[in-house]
């Protein structure tokens, strides 16, 4: 399964999985549409590190989960929500949970087996970035504005680093 993903300006969610294009259709990238079509734009997409599961965060406040078959067909499996638009996502090491950040200034951990979400961090501004670093068992989160502080009540131990500038991007590859 290829993880190259496409998203057009009309918010039609499609993913490139290498499935054969339907006979007679014009589809040079062999895109497969993820259904049902979402009501608003996608802010992030990420694949599970352990299974063919795709998670997308959306401007409609929701986080959606699809199972993707080897033929490229995507089946909706579950969803969870924030109180404001969901902006980012990152999987934990074993693929059992997804961390999601939102304009509601929270980071939640969504357990896919139980379909339960729990708040694990709080910022003073919308959370634009989250990355789980399995080598260190560490969740890194970043807000759109310079944070005054952060709380990580659900993750112990934790470290808060106050930045002097806005966090614009994250990468989870250790040096």
């Amino acid at each position: 399964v290829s993880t190259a993903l496409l998203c057009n300006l009309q918010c039609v969610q499609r993913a490139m999985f290498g499935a054969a294009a339907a006979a007679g259709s014009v589809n040079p990238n062999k895109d497969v549409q993820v259904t049902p079509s979402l009501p608003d734009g996608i802010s992030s997409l990420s694949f599970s590190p352990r299974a063919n599961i795709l998670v997308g965060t959306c401007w409609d406040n929701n986080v959606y989960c699809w199972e993707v078959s080897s033929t490229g067909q995507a089946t909706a499996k579950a969803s969870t929500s924030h109180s404001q638009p969901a902006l980012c996502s990152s999987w934990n090491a074993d693929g059992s949970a997804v961390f999601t950040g939102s304009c509601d200034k929270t980071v939640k951990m969504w357990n896919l087996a139980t379909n339960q979400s729990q708040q694990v961090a709080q910022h003073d501004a919308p959370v634009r970035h989250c990355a789980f670093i399995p080598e260190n068992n560490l969740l890194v989160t970043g807000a759109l504005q310079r944070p005054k502080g952060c709380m990580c009540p659900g993750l112990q131990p934790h470290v808060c680093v106050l930045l002097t500038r806005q966090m614009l991007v994250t990468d989870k590859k250790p040096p």
Side-chain angles (χ1 to χ4, degrees):
V1 172
S2 169
T3 59
L5 299 173
L6 301 175
C7 187
N8 71 19
L9 295 176
Q10 287 83 30
C11 302
V12 176
Q13 294 75 39
R14 294 183 281 178
M16 189 167 96
F17 301 107
S25 69
V26 178
N27 190 359
N29 293 325
K30 300 178 182 170
D31 297 343
V32 176
Q33 184 168 341
V34 174
T35 56
S37 187
L38 300 181
D40 210 335
I42 290 179
S43 50
S44 77
L45 292 167
S46 59
F47 271 101
S48 166
R50 302 284 183 235
N52 288 336
I53 305 292
L54 174 67
V55 165
T57 58
C58 190
W59 283 92
D60 71 351
N61 305 357
N62 292 306
V63 182
Y64 297 93
C65 177
W66 298 273
E67 182 174 16
V68 182
S69 72
S70 60
T71 63
Q73 299 303 311
T75 306
K77 289 296 183 184
S79 67
T80 189
S81 64
H82 281 267
S83 63
Q84 293 185 18
L87 300 178
C88 57
S89 61
S90 183
W91 289 85
N92 71 348
D94 67 8
S96 65
V98 178
F99 297 99
T100 60
S102 168
C103 286
D104 65 12
K105 306 174 188 175
T106 66
V107 177
K108 293 182 179 182
M109 182 176 66
W110 180 23
N111 181 320
L112 294 173
T114 65
N115 200 28
Q116 298 295 311
S117 290
Q118 164 187 345
Q119 183 178 326
V120 294
Q122 176 77 43
H123 281 269
D124 292 331
V127 179
R128 181 62 186 105
H129 304 283
C130 64
F132 185 77
I133 303 168
E135 296 84 1
N136 303 95
N137 195 34
L138 178 67
L139 175 65
V140 176
T141 64
L144 286 174
Q145 298 173 356
R146 186 179 80 212
K148 295 177 185 169
C150 63
M151 298 180 345
C152 306
L155 298 177
Q156 298 295 331
H158 69 273
V159 175
C160 286
V161 177
L162 299 181
L163 303 176
T164 59
R165 297 271 191 235
Q166 179 179 1
M167 185 174 193
L168 300 175
V169 67
T170 57
D171 187 3
K172 60 183 182 178
K173 294 280 184 190

